[in-house]
Amino acid sequence: MSELIAPSAAPRRPTRAGTVIRRLLRRPLAVTGLVIIAIVVIAAVFAPWVAPYDPGEQFFDGLTLEGAPLPPNGAFLFGTDLLGRDLLSRLIFGAQTSLVIGVVANGIAVFIGALVGIVAGYFRGWIGTILMRFTDLMMSFPALLLAIVLAAIFKPSLWIVAMVIAMVNWVQVARVIYTETRSLAERDFIEAERSLGASSARILWSHILPHLVSTIVVWATLGISTTVLLEATLSFLGIGVQPPTASWGNIIFENQTYFASAPWLVFIPGAAIILLALAFNFLGDALRDILDPTQQGRSA
Amino acid sequence: MSIEIPLLSVRNLVTTVSTATGPRPVVDDLSFDLAPGETLCIAGESGSGKSMTALSLMQLLPQPMARVASGSAVFKGRDLFTLPKEAMRQVRGNDIAMIFQEPMTSLNPVLTIGRQLIETITAHESTSLSQARQRALELLNQVQIPEAARRLQQYPYELSGGMRQRVMIAMALSQNPDILIADEPTTALDVTVQAQILSLIRKLQAETGTAVIMITHDMGVVAEMANRVLVMKDGRAVEAGPVRDIFAMPQAPYTQALLAAVPRLGEMTGTTMPKRAVRTWEQTAPKEVVDVDNLTVRFPIRSGFFGRVERRVHAVEGIGFKLYRGETLALVGESGCGKSTTGKALLNLVPFTGDVRIAGTHTQGLRSDQMKPVRRDIQMIFQDPFASLDPRMRVGDLVAEPLRIHGLATGSELTDRVAYLFKRVGLSADLLERYPHEFSGGQRQRICIARALSLSPKIIVADESVSALDVSIQAQVLDLLQDIQNETGIAYLFISHDMGVVEQISHRVAVMYLGRFVEVGTRAQVFDNPQHPYTKALIAAVPVPDPERAPKRFSRLTGDIPSSVRPLSYEPPTAIYRDVGDGHLVAELS
C-alpha cells in the first residue's frame, strides 16, 4: 500500500531535556542569550568577590574637585555616581536586586496570571466569571497606585517589593492566557480528548499547557524589563528597595536629572537592563521554536 | 466551439513556491485554451495545483512565496504575466473575475452587502451613487436573491452560506467579465444549496456568455457543469478533453482511478447490504448496543447583562433509534439539522434530555467520571483530521493515550498494542515517533481511527469522517471502516451529508431535518423508494458523475432551511410517523 510509505524523510527525534539543550546550543542567538544571563547570574551571586569596590563606599577621589561625578576611567571602569561611588560595583550588586525582581517577581506574576487565565478559560462558568471579573478589577486600578498602596501597607524591603510587583503584573498575563485558553478549549482535538474520557487535569496539563508555552515565554521575557523598571519607579518614590542598596532601576532614577552632564550614569544601567531583557528574549524565542514540533526545520 | 479563437490561451505555465530546499513547481508546464462562453473544469485532488493555476492567472499568488516562473497566458492579445500591476488590476474584475470557496470569509463582516457591492461597482466605473445602487439591486435580482432591496442593508452574518455565495457571484459579475474563475464555489455549501448555485451559474452563463473556469474536486460537479475537462495531478495536466470523452473513455490511469473512486448514487440499487459487507451480524444474535428514546437537545441563547435565556436552538427534537451490533446506521442531513449534535449527545459531550442507553447503561446526566467506563464502549471519529489531533503530540502517544487514560496497558504491552493498531489501519509502525503535521489527511484520519479503535469499543460515531478527504482517499478509508466492521462486528453511527457515501456504507438510514427524523428505513427502502419530499430533494440534488444525463432543472426547495432558533414559549408539534411498509417510517407533513 502506498499509504505505508513515510510521508517525508525527516529524521526521528525524541524531544527530551538533553536534546532540547543540544538544539539550543546550535542556535547562535540562544547561546548569546545564555552567555549574557550566565554572566549576570554569576556576577550577582559572587558580587562581593567580583566587584572591585564596596558599592556603598563614597570615594574621596570619586568626584572631581567641583564635586561632579567622574566619567569612566582607569580606576573606575564605568565611572562614579553623584556620591562618588563606583558605578561598576553598584551595577554588580544591583544585579542581585534586579534578578530577584526581574526573574522571581516576574516569574511569580506570570505563574499566577497563567494559572488564573487557564482555570478561568477552561472551566468558564461561575468560577471563570469570578476570576476574570477580579482580574478586570485589578486592571482598572493604575498599577503604580496599587503598588504604592501595597508598598505603603508593608514595610519596604526587597522581598515585599518583589511581591508587590508580582501582585500588580499578573493581570495582563491572565487576560491574554484566558483568551487563548478559551479558543484552544473549543478546538476539535480538545473535544476529541474529552470523548476519549480524558480528565480535565490531563487535558489541561498535556493538551492545553503545551500550546500556551510560546505565549507564556513571550510574556515572561517582556515582563523582565517592565518589572525592573517598575521596581526603579517604586524605589524612586521611596517605597521600593531602600538606599543605599543598589538596583539597576534606582541607579537610573537617582541619576536621571544629571543625564545631560553625566550620561553614563543612565546609559550604562539602562544598557544592562536592555541586555538582560534581550538575553531572556533570545532564549525564550529559541525555546518556543524548539518546543513546537510543527516549527521543526523551518527556521533552524 | 473549439474552432473559435480561444479567449484565453495558457502555454507552458510553471508556478513555483519557494521551500527550504529551493523553488518547487506546484504547476508544471500547464497549457490549455478557453473558448468564449464555454465552461472548462479543472479537476483534481488536493495538492494538484488547480487553485494555484487560478491564482497565477489572476496574479494573486501569495508573493514572494509563490511566483509564476515561466509561461504565458494570452488574453485579448496581451500576456497577463507581463502586464504591469495597474493594468492587471483593471483586468481583474473588469475582464476576469473570481469567486472563492469560502463565502463566510470572503465578505467583509463589518460592511453591509450593499456597501460592498456598490464599492465593487464604483471601483471600475465612475457612476453616481444612485446608479450604483440601482445596479447593485439588479445584480442581486440576477443572482435570484429574494427580497433584494432589504438584503442591501444587511450584514454578511445575517445571510446564509448559499446567500453569501450568491452575493459573491453578484460581485464577480458586476463588470460583465469575459471570464469567471470559480474556485470550489460550492464545496462549503450543502448539497441542495450547491445544486441551486450550480444551476444559477449555468443560467447566468447562458444569459451573459461568460466563459467559466471551474475548479473542483467533485467529479459530479464536473459532469454537470463542464464542456471540457482538464484533469490535474501534482501540478501537471494528466488528461484534457471534452467532458463526454473523459467520462466515457478516460485514457490516463489516474483519471480512470479517480472516476472509479467516485461513489455513484444508485450503484447499490437492488442490494440490501453495504458494499463490502461479508456477513450479517444481526441475524445471528440481534443485539442492540445503542438505544435512544426521545432524545432532545436544546441550546439556550443568552443575552443581556444577567445572561437571561432569551431563545433556544432546538438542535435535536425528540428522536429515537436503535443501533445493533455489526450495523451501520447513517444519519443524513444538511448543516444545522442536528446530526452532529446527536452524535455528541451519545458521547455525553452535550447536555440532553431523553433516554440514551449505551451497551445497557443509561447515560443521561452522568458526570464525566461516571461516564468514563461507558466511553470504552463508544468512541468518536471527528470530521477534520487536521483539527482533531493535538499537533504537539507524537502520533504514537496520541494512539496510546486512550489506553493510558483507561489504564488498560503499560510498558511493552502498550507499545505492542499501539504498533498493532497502527498496522491495523494500514500505517507503518515506524511512523510512531512523528507528529501529526507530517501526515496527509487520509493518514491522519487513519490515526484517528486507530485512536478510536484502541479501546475496542462496541460503537463508533463517525461524524462526517470522510468528507474532508479526497475521493480516492475517501474510498480507502470507507473500505477500512467496513473491513473493521466485518472483522469485529462494531456498530457505526455514520453521520454524513453525502448521499453517495451513505449509500455505500449503511445498513439503515435516518434522514434528519431541523432536529427531527423525516424518514427512517433500511438503505434500500430510503434510496429506492424515498417518500418524504426532503429525502427526494436531497437525492435529486446530488451531482451525478455522468455527463450524459442532461443537467437537472431543480424543482427544489428554493431558498434556505429555516432556522431552528425558537422563542422560549415554542412547543414543537409532536411528530407523527407513518409506516409505509417493513419498518420504513416517514414523517407526516404538518
Side-chain angles (χ1 to χ4, degrees), chain A residues 3-4 7-8 10 13-15 188-189 191-198 202 207 210-211 291-294, chain B residues 344 375 379 382 387-394 401 405-406 426-428 434-435 437-438 443 446 451 476:
Chain A
E3 286 271 342
L4 283 169
S8 69
R13 65 259 149 155
T15 307
D188 273 5
F189 66 85
E191 183 146 60
E193 291 301 326
R194 289 207 287 141
S195 78
L196 287 174
R202 186 183 191 94
H207 298 284
H211 291 263
L291 293 177
D292 184 355
T294 56
Chain B
K344 285 179 185 171
R375 297 195 197 281
Q379 276 299 313
F382 289 83
S388 55
L389 293 171
D390 186 342
R392 299 232 175 187
M393 257 198 165
R394 285 155 209 288
E401 194 172 27
I405 289 171
H406 291 269
L427 292 171
S428 157
R434 292 171 186 273
Y435 287 94
H437 69 97
E438 297 175 64
Q443 289 172 322
R446 283 168 193 268
R451 277 190 108 187
Q476 291 171 12

Side-chain angles (χ1 to χ4, degrees), chain B residues 398-417:
Chain B
L398 283 167
V399 174
E401 194 172 27
L403 295 165
R404 288 205 181 106
I405 289 171
H406 291 269
L408 293 181
T410 47
S412 64
E413 197 192 340
L414 183 68
T415 327
D416 292 347
R417 181 93 185 115

Side-chain angles (χ1 to χ4, degrees), chain A residues 2-3 21 67 80 106 134 137 158 200 233 235 257 273 288 290:
Chain A
S2 60
E3 286 271 342
I21 292 170
T80 59
N106 180 47
F134 180 64
L137 193 77
L158 175 59
S200 294
T233 315
S235 302
T257 35
I273 294 173
R288 187 195 58 200
I290 289 169

Side-chain angles (χ1 to χ4, degrees), chain B residues 139-156:
Chain B
L139 283 166
L140 287 189
N141 281 321
Q142 205 180 359
V143 295
Q144 299 174 328
I145 288 187
E147 303 174 79
R150 195 165 66 87
R151 304 290 176 194
L152 288 177
Q153 311 300 328
Q154 288 184 316
Y155 288 90

Side-chain angles (χ1 to χ4, degrees), chain A residues 16 156 195 219 260:
Chain A
R16 298 290 169 255
S195 78
W219 274 93

Side-chain angles (χ1 to χ4, degrees), chain B residues 260-279:
Chain B
V262 178
R264 283 157 202 268
L265 200 62
E267 89 185 301
M268 308 281 295
T269 310
T271 61
T272 55
M273 296 300 290
K275 208 172 178 186
R276 285 169 80 91
V278 289
R279 55 174 159 160

